Amino acid sequence: MQYELRTQVIEPQRKTFTHLVKRYGDRPASRYEEGTIDVQAKENFHYRPLWDPQHELYDETLSAFRLTDPYSFTDPRQYYYAPYVSSRAAMAEAMAATLDYLDSRDLLSRLPEGWATLVGELLVPLRHYESGAQMVCSDVTRFGFGTTITQCAGYAAFDRIGNAQSLSRLGIALGGGTAELLTQAKTRWVEDAPLQGLRRFVEELFLEKDWGRALVRLDVTDRLVYALFHGHLDDAAIESGAGAYSLVAQHFATWFKDQRKWLDGLYKAWAADPATGSANAALLASTTTEALEEALRAVRPVALRVDELVASGAVAALEATADGIREAVRAAGPDTATAPTAPTA
């Protein structure tokens, strides 16, 4: 008896969900689209929040930044749960491998004079900056409108906790396996004069009711902080023989480059909106300009302390980064269809 094997293709009765067919046509949808598009709750709410009865539980008017269609913005990275977790697992493993290498070669204790102090006095306390950024991103996740936006903010919130944990591991490694530097870092964050402007700026972000403005203000501060610690000081460390610092900084710079992708995409979507683009672009420019001056006042004392410790030209580098942001705002203008792109660390 002979058997003949044949391939039989069974066409699915439906290629995707009805709401995606209405939006994109009758075609197979990606996992990202199926898990993200048109998921935002818009109706059938039981009651308004008792603490804010002027707004619905999920309300698009909670920010002055508005999109006619919230899903005109999509994450350029196309992150949903699985690819996000895979990406961040790889980042975490790479960071762990670097810290293990530094520990095995005892490189942190062999940092040049001033660099070990800089790490313990300024870099490790930034774990509290990252923790504050996580709270801001969580606020955007809760009050933002449009799943493509709130999903990105949620992932960013997890990232900020991961960054804080990485800085904590660095502090433990520099402290010889003890939590002594972490305890000192908390005290420094609360009491040291160079860090008080930055701490105040972050804590005042908690009070910002407009989630869009809070997101932009945090982003402006990130541009300064990451360009300083993981851009400028990365280069300075290599030139000063502090290679251990550079090995750590590369991981944060890599994360920040990834973070910028969705933020720049959101800014462009805001500015390109057919109905609200002009207002969004003007608000983006004014918010960025206002936040930049405040953030500069907050970060400048940190840069001054960096120069006291390692004389790397940190203040000049900080001002150059700020000038780049100002120029990007001027080049974009409030009435154009493009938004200012931040210089990366």
Side-chain angles (χ1 to χ4, degrees), residues 76-158:
R77 307 164 300 178
Q78 298 287 286
Y79 277 166
Y80 59 95
Y81 182 79
Y84 169 76
V85 170
S86 297
S87 170
R88 293 313 185 253
M91 284 187 176
E93 290 173 0
M95 182 67 175
T98 295
L99 291 175
D100 289 342
Y101 174 74
L102 295 177
D103 187 54
S104 67
R105 302 291 294 176
D106 199 25
L107 294 179
L108 290 174
S109 64
R110 294 154 64 180
L111 282 168
E113 183 179 358
W115 283 93
T117 303
L118 183 151
V119 172
E121 186 177 313
L122 297 176
L123 183 59
V124 175
L126 290 184
R127 63 197 287 261
H128 299 286
Y129 171 80
E130 295 291 344
S131 180
Q134 184 267 340
M135 293 184 66
V136 175
C137 292
S138 295
D139 193 72
V140 176
T141 305
R142 166 58 186 87
F143 295 105
F145 196 83
T147 313
T148 50
I149 298 173
T150 57
Q151 183 172 248
C152 288
Y155 291 149
F158 284 117

Side-chain angles (χ1 to χ4, degrees), residues 2-8:
Q2 293 183 341
Y3 295 93
E4 182 179 358
L5 299 179
R6 296 181 179 179
T7 301
Q8 183 177 3

Side-chain angles (χ1 to χ4, degrees), residues 8 12 19 27 38 47 65 90 111 113-114 122 130 134 141 183 187 205-206 208 210 239 260 299 301 305 307 316 325:
Q8 183 177 3
H19 65 275
R27 63 163 176 80
D38 288 324
Y47 53 85
F65 290 100
L111 282 168
E113 183 179 358
L122 297 176
E130 295 291 344
Q134 184 267 340
T141 305
T183 301
T187 301
L205 279 181
F206 301 159
E208 176 60 68
D210 184 314
E239 295 173 358
R260 288 245 43 87
V299 181
R305 180 56 180 159
D307 279 341
I325 297 174

Side-chain angles (χ1 to χ4, degrees), residues 275-296:
T276 63
S278 295
N280 287 339
L283 182 59
L284 181 60
S286 62
T287 303
T288 300
T289 301
E290 173 190 343
L292 177 60
E293 299 312 313
E294 295 178 8
L296 260 179

